[in-house]
Amino acid sequence: MLQIQVITGSKVPIYRQVVDQIRSAIGSGAVAIGQPLPSVRSLAGELVVNPNTIAKAYAALVADGVVESQQGRGYFVAQRREIYTKAERTRRLDEAVGPMVAEALSLGFSEQEIIGAISKHFQKLGKS
Amino acid sequence: MLQIQVITGSKVPIYRQVVDQIRSAIGSGAVAIGQPLPSVRSLAGELVVNPNTIAKAYAALVADGVVESQQGRGYFVAQRREIYTKAERTRRLDEAVGPMVAEALSLGFSEQEIIGAISKHFQKLGKS
Amino acid sequence: MLQIQVITGSKVPIYRQVVDQIRSAIGSGAVAIGQPLPSVRSLAGELVVNPNTIAKAYAALVADGVVESQQGRGYFVAQRREIYTKAERTRRLDEAVGPMVAEALSLGFSEQEIIGAISKHFQKLGKS
Amino acid sequence: MLQIQVITGSKVPIYRQVVDQIRSAIGSGAVAIGQPLPSVRSLAGELVVNPNTIAKAYAALVADGVVESQQGRGYFVAQRREIYTKAERTRRLDEAVGPMVAEALSLGFSEQEIIGAISKHFQKLGKS
DNA sequence: GTGGTCTAGACCACA
DNA sequence: GTGGTCTAGACCACC
């Protein structure tokens, strides 16, 4: 079952939160290939956000190839395919790690504390 | 020596790249307390960006208490001090970890791979 | 209702005047948590200043955790939270008190008169 | 005896610190009318600051009428004279109080705590 | 519509 | 020389 939560006050834009959470759900196997996603309207209603925002999130997922739209039927989890080369994936990972480490360092956290926070984050993800 | 590189056209804004790199340099001890930062104009010239952009980056560092400005003299690495409460520090760390993990997951990386990337990042910081 | 007035040509910069007045309004409870602030463009138009100046003021308020921004929606009064350590709060208070007292002393005011002016100031805040 | 201390890292410019402290010393009667001030060079040497900075401070004091220069002899404490009208003095006091209260409020301090900090500040002034 | 970033260029204050 | 403020105007991202 697909459980999505959005934090309106966050610095991360809403449509991005939706994209990330759906990607994570698909990546972790929580939703299987071929399964339908909630309709734009229903998800928008559930999260109390603008339908345009959900539509934009779905469009981004389609553009990335992790979701397919079937005219008139809805959106479905696509066959998993590698879009990025390994080098590109690593580059993107490093690009995400850098700012996070910079922030943590200036807050006075050590490498161990950072890794601990990540483990804790994963535990929370697993539970919910 | 403080070496800064910016990628124009990146998704992360230029001033943010500057902030992150200076934070990392200070946080990892690459630049010592009391040392002067390059002047706004000189760094702007070096990176071929507008001085205002550098000024914005430096202002952010001042707001975080990482550096101090002295009118007419320049910017200097500040004495390290505890500015934020534990709760606030944790909150900010989590806020930085969340999007990073989401990005990594959507790229198909595992928890172990993420932690590995962080360790690698720290090694790179130590060496330079 | 948030009423802001700026004095151009004053020694204290415009963006600072805006910051101070909004801080006072929030700190004294004149505007409630969650309420939206005027949009950057509208306030800029009202005060006849450049939008960038208002943006700078709002950014400072965000850095202090007093307000929060939501992309595409606006700025909102943030939930009150303890951001700074006790030491840092005291340090900042002293840093604000020092110059103010020096100015008052040089104008020939006594300690009692200064305290009186502060009480009067609070009364004015409460009334408006 | 005139004891001056400057804090280089402060947000208050050095020349302003010098002006404020000399004004306070004169205002409180610590230095009597007609007494000489230290020479620009000696004070600059003592405080380890640029002589231009001291010269600027003295010039500001002369402009305000609390100090007089006697060509070739030095600077002397002038006859005290009221430069500002009462309304003007009050206006300036309020102008100094406003930002300080705004800062304190956003730091979460109460009126009583602010007044306490001021009293403490005066005690510290008296002791030194 | 909202905020966020960047540029170009001006003027002032400080050391 | 240094930083600090402000303006004018552009382009982008988000809702």
Side-chain angles (χ1 to χ4, degrees):
Chain A
M1 180 51 194
L2 188 57
Q3 278 290 1
I4 296 181
Q5 288 180 332
V6 295
I7 305 168
T8 62
S10 164
K11 144 179 107 171
V12 184
I14 294 173
Y15 95 97
R16 241 300 185 168
Q17 297 183 38
V18 174
V19 168
D20 288 342
Q21 290 182 47
I22 293 180
R23 270 178 166 170
S24 292
I26 294 174
S28 69
V31 282
I33 291 172
Q35 281 214 323
L37 262 51
S39 77
V40 169
R41 280 186 188 178
S42 70
L43 186 54
E46 195 181 318
L47 303 179
V48 196
V49 301
N50 193 309
N52 289 336
T53 304
I54 304 299
K56 182 168 185 179
Y58 279 12
L61 290 163
V62 169
D64 275 4
V66 296
V67 159
E68 285 173 347
S69 87
Q70 299 186 14
Q71 258 297 9
R73 294 195 56 233
Y75 290 86
F76 299 83
V77 178
Q79 290 283 10
R80 185 107 184 88
R81 54 181 163 103
E82 285 295 338
I83 316 155
Y84 302 125
T85 66
K86 189 168 175 240
E88 174 71 5
R89 285 172 66 230
T90 304
R91 197 189 63 74
R92 291 206 173 205
L93 178 59
D94 289 342
E95 207 172 65
V97 164
M100 184 255 133
V101 169
E103 172 83 13
L105 277 177
S106 82
L107 284 168
F109 289 106
S110 69
E111 182 178 348
Q112 280 314 310
E113 286 173 309
I114 296 170
I115 291 173
I118 289 169
S119 297
K120 213 183 68 186
H121 191 82
F122 268 96
Q123 282 171 26
K124 218 164 36 181
L125 281 183
K127 261 190 293 190
S128 64
Chain B
M1 179 48 193
L2 192 53
Q3 278 291 1
I4 296 179
Q5 289 179 331
V6 294
I7 305 168
T8 60
S10 158
K11 193 183 67 177
V12 352
I14 295 173
Y15 91 96
R16 247 304 187 169
Q17 297 181 40
V18 173
V19 167
D20 288 339
Q21 290 181 49
I22 294 180
R23 271 179 168 176
S24 291
I26 294 174
S28 68
V31 288
I33 290 170
Q35 282 213 326
L37 262 47
S39 81
V40 169
R41 289 157 164 91
S42 72
L43 185 53
E46 200 180 311
L47 302 180
V48 198
V49 300
N50 191 290
N52 286 338
T53 303
I54 304 299
K56 187 173 182 178
Y58 280 11
L61 291 165
V62 169
D64 270 3
V66 177
V67 310
E68 284 174 349
S69 87
Q70 290 181 223
Q71 252 289 31
R73 305 227 309 116
Y75 286 90
F76 301 84
V77 178
Q79 185 73 32
R80 187 165 206 97
R81 56 191 156 93
E82 283 289 321
I83 291 184
Y84 301 114
T85 59
K86 189 149 175 284
E88 180 69 10
R89 287 173 65 231
T90 305
R91 201 187 67 80
R92 293 194 178 213
L93 179 59
D94 289 343
E95 211 169 63
V97 164
M100 182 256 137
V101 168
E103 173 77 10
L105 279 180
S106 81
L107 287 166
F109 289 104
S110 70
E111 180 177 349
Q112 279 315 311
E113 287 173 309
I114 295 171
I115 290 174
I118 289 169
S119 296
K120 212 184 65 187
H121 191 82
F122 266 95
Q123 282 172 26
K124 210 165 48 181
L125 282 182
K127 259 190 296 190
S128 64
Chain C
M1 179 49 193
L2 192 53
Q3 278 290 2
I4 296 179
Q5 289 179 331
V6 294
I7 305 168
T8 60
S10 160
K11 193 183 67 177
V12 353
I14 295 173
Y15 90 95
R16 247 306 188 169
Q17 296 181 40
V18 173
V19 167
D20 288 339
Q21 289 181 49
I22 294 180
R23 269 180 170 176
S24 291
I26 294 174
S28 68
V31 288
I33 290 170
Q35 282 213 326
L37 262 48
S39 80
V40 169
R41 288 155 164 92
S42 72
L43 185 54
E46 200 179 310
L47 302 179
V48 198
V49 300
N50 192 291
N52 285 338
T53 303
I54 303 299
K56 186 173 183 179
Y58 279 12
L61 291 165
V62 169
D64 270 4
V66 178
V67 309
E68 284 173 349
S69 87
Q70 292 181 221
Q71 252 290 28
R73 305 228 308 115
Y75 286 89
F76 301 83
V77 177
Q79 185 71 34
R80 188 166 205 99
R81 56 190 155 93
E82 284 290 319
I83 292 185
Y84 301 114
T85 60
K86 188 149 174 287
E88 179 70 9
R89 288 172 64 231
T90 305
R91 201 186 68 79
R92 293 194 179 212
L93 178 59
D94 290 342
E95 211 168 63
V97 164
M100 183 254 135
V101 168
E103 173 77 12
L105 280 179
S106 80
L107 286 167
F109 289 104
S110 71
E111 181 178 350
Q112 279 314 311
E113 286 173 309
I114 295 170
I115 291 173
I118 290 169
S119 297
K120 211 184 66 185
H121 191 82
F122 267 95
Q123 281 172 27
K124 209 165 48 180
L125 282 182
K127 259 190 296 190
S128 63
Chain D
M1 179 49 193
L2 188 56
Q3 278 289 1
I4 296 181
Q5 288 180 331
V6 295
I7 305 168
T8 61
S10 164
K11 146 180 105 169
V12 184
I14 294 173
Y15 97 96
R16 241 301 184 168
Q17 295 182 40
V18 174
V19 167
D20 287 340
Q21 290 182 48
I22 292 180
R23 271 177 167 171
S24 292
I26 295 174
S28 68
V31 283
I33 290 173
Q35 281 213 323
L37 263 50
S39 77
V40 169
R41 280 188 188 177
S42 71
L43 186 54
E46 195 181 317
L47 302 179
V48 196
V49 300
N50 194 309
N52 289 336
T53 304
I54 303 299
K56 182 168 186 179
Y58 279 11
L61 289 164
V62 169
D64 274 3
V66 296
V67 159
E68 286 174 347
S69 88
Q70 298 185 13
Q71 259 296 9
R73 293 196 54 233
Y75 290 86
F76 299 83
V77 177
Q79 290 283 13
R80 186 106 182 89
R81 55 180 163 103
E82 287 293 338
I83 317 155
Y84 303 124
T85 66
K86 190 169 174 242
E88 175 71 5
R89 286 173 65 230
T90 305
R91 197 189 61 75
R92 291 207 172 203
L93 177 59
D94 290 342
E95 207 172 62
V97 164
M100 183 256 135
V101 168
E103 173 83 13
L105 276 178
S106 82
L107 284 168
F109 289 105
S110 69
E111 182 177 349
Q112 281 313 310
E113 288 173 309
I114 296 170
I115 291 174
I118 290 169
S119 298
K120 214 184 67 186
H121 191 82
F122 267 95
Q123 282 172 26
K124 217 163 37 180
L125 281 182
K127 261 189 294 190
S128 67

